[in-house]
Each structure stands twice: as structure tokens, then as C-alpha cells.
Amino acid sequence: MAAAELEYESVLCVKPDVSVYRIPPRTSNRGYRASDWKLDHPDWTGRLRVTSKGKTAYVKLEDKVSGELFAQAPIDQYPGIAVETVTDSSRYFVIRIQDGTGRSAFIGIGFTDRGDAFDFNVSLQDHFKWVKQETEISKETLEADTRPKLDLGFKEGQTIKLNIGNMTTKKGGAAKPRVSGSGGLSLLPPPPGGKIAVPSIPPASSTTIANHISPPPMLKSSNMSSADILLDLDAPACASKTPTSTTTDIWGDFNTASSGVPNQAPQQSNWVQF
């Protein structure tokens, strides 16, 4: 009772023009025919309103001006006996109206516009489609509540061990780390027992040093001839011309290194004596 009181009434469809007809009793099971009614002389005209309360829909026939209720038809399912379509038109229906005392009667209703008849039909279909979905959801919820729940929690004293650091491959061996080389490329590790060959860097040759660095010219006395000056330009290649003092000549070490290289051709100096 409390749940029924909390339900509210919603309006599904309103059509301002509807005609009501008194229909003859059906003589066969093939359905009602609108051509058997007096379509030019309806027994009542007014407004039609389709409402719903809970899972039940109501077709209410009301006065256009005052809104006074003329008749209503409660509908528990659609299609069903409460609302039927005629066999010869899509604008006319047969509904079962009921009063508060439980008496019922079948009357015919019709719409002038075919679009109004379509809206009336669709509003009832949408409502009972929603009722069907709600019934299925309630049934699934009830089955889920009665079904035994699966307990996936740890029992008292139960533990679990995770070994993430030493992950094993599919063959059962330990996963080999990949060596990252230069440029972001991944290199395969060396085979077991092998060694990575590291390219050796050749030592700096004394010839290279002698080619890039030349000693400064030596100051000679004024009585030296031009031939002596020219011969003095080749002094770095001769050990007899090197000065014996190591404190005043900082180029002595380079001259000594140059003289120690065997089979080396003398280098001509680019220094010019002024």
C-alpha cells in the first residue's frame, strides 16, 4: 500500500480531438470493423489523454473545456483485450472502459488525423516496453541476491607470495638482460665465457707531433754566413745541433723525440730568418 501511494502519475500522450462511437457486438473472431460504425455521427467528442501510474497505463476521455472525466480504460498489457485495433483502418481502435464499480464496456474511438493515431499507438508500446525491461531487471536482481556469493577473500592465516624480481622465461631459465648500446639500440649479450673485443686506440706518434710543432729559429751571431743560416734550418733533424742546456730551450724534448725515429726524412721548416 505504501509503495502504491508513492507512485506518481505521468502523462504519456495528449490528443485534443477524439471521437467516441457505440459499436455493435462482435459476431465473429476475425475482429472489429470500423465500417460497421456510424462514422459520420459520433456519440461523443472530446480530448484523449494517456497516463501511466506504475506499470498500468490509463486511456482517459475528458471534456475539451472543463477537463471532466467522461470514461477511462485501464490497460495492463498491450496489445491485449483492453485496446484492440480494427481490421480495416489504422485510425480507429476499440477500448474497454471501466467504472469504479467494476462494470466494463467496449467502445470505439477514432482520430481525424492519422498522425494522432500513430502517436497513441507508439505511446502505449513505449510504456509496456519499459515495463518489460523493468521486470527483467528485477528478476535478474532477485536471482543475483539468492545466488551463493563467491568468496575470493583471504582466509585467516593465508598468505600469497609474489616473485617479480626474478621473472623466468617460458623455458624455465632466467631472463637475460639486454645490453643497451650507443644510440639507444639494444645489443644482445655475449655468449657464455666470451669476451667483448674492445678496439684499441693507437698511441700518438712522435712523427705527428714533429709535423705539427716546429721549433723556433735559433739566434746566430753576426759573423755567420748565409750558408750557415740555411744549414741551421735543418738543425732539428741533427742531434749535434741541439743545445745542451735543458733549462733555456723548451723545445729540446721534441727535437730528441724526432731524432730517435729511424728512417725519417728531414722535415723542412717553414720559419724564415729576418
Side-chain angles (χ1 to χ4, degrees):
M1 180 64 71
E5 293 178 355
L6 293 176
E7 292 178 351
Y8 59 91
E9 185 180 44
S10 60
V11 179
L12 304 179
C13 178
V14 176
K15 294 302 174 182
D17 191 8
V18 65
S19 300
V20 176
Y21 304 92
R22 186 178 297 176
I23 62 175
R26 183 168 55 180
T27 57
S28 63
N29 295 330
R30 60 183 182 177
Y32 293 97
R33 292 174 56 88
S35 59
D36 299 336
W37 308 345
K38 298 178 181 180
L39 300 178
D40 297 335
H41 301 86
D43 295 294
W44 183 87
T45 57
R47 179 180 66 187
L48 179 139
R49 192 158 60 98
V50 181
T51 63
S52 65
K53 190 173 183 180
K55 296 182 179 181
T56 305
Y58 297 90
V59 177
K60 296 183 178 182
L61 303 175
E62 301 172 344
D63 186 77
K64 292 182 179 181
V65 180
S66 63
E68 183 182 358
L69 180 65
F70 172 74
Q72 73 173 0
I75 305 172
D76 297 331
Q77 63 179 0
Y78 181 77
I81 193 174
V83 178
E84 298 181 48
T85 59
V86 298
T87 59
D88 57 347
S89 178
S90 62
R91 297 187 292 113
Y92 297 93
F93 301 86
V94 176
I95 63 174
R96 184 183 62 182
I97 59 175
Q98 292 180 351
D99 58 3
T101 60
R103 294 182 303 176
S104 62
F106 291 92
I107 62 174
I109 61 174
F111 301 94
T112 305
D113 188 2
R114 195 177 302 275
D116 293 343
F118 176 80
D119 294 342
F120 170 74
N121 190 19
V122 169
S123 63
L124 293 176
Q125 289 179 355
D126 290 346
H127 171 72
F128 286 100
K129 186 183 296 183
W130 170 80
V131 171
K132 183 179 180 180
Q133 293 176 353
E134 288 293 320
T135 304
E136 293 177 354
I137 293 175
S138 300
K139 186 183 297 185
E140 292 177 358
T141 304
L142 182 61
E143 291 178 356
D145 294 339
T146 57
R147 190 182 306 154
K149 297 181 179 180
L150 182 61
D151 186 12
L152 299 178
F154 288 102
K155 304 299 186 295
E156 185 178 357
Q158 185 179 4
T159 59
I160 186 172
K161 183 179 180 181
L162 298 177
N163 190 3
I164 301 177
N166 299 326
M167 297 179 65
T168 57
T169 60
K170 293 183 179 179
K171 295 182 180 180
K176 299 180 180 180
R178 302 180 68 89
V179 181
S180 178
S182 60
L185 300 177
S186 298
L187 303 179
L188 293 176
K195 295 183 179 180
I196 300 177
V198 180
S200 59
I201 301 175
S205 175
S206 58
T207 306
T208 306
I209 299 176
N211 290 337
H212 286 279
I213 301 174
S214 300
M218 300 293 294
L219 296 177
K220 302 297 179 176
S221 61
S222 58
N223 56 0
M224 293 179 63
S225 63
S226 298
D228 295 334
I229 295 175
L230 293 176
L231 292 175
D232 185 60
L233 295 177
D234 296 333
C238 300
S240 61
K241 297 292 183 177
T242 56
T244 56
S245 177
T246 59
T247 57
T248 58
D249 187 5
I250 61 174
W251 302 96
D253 295 336
F254 294 101
N255 294 332
T256 306
S258 301
S259 61
V261 179
N263 298 329
Q264 181 179 359
Q267 300 293 330
Q268 185 178 358
S269 174
N270 295 328
W271 292 87
V272 179
Q273 181 68 31
F274 293 100

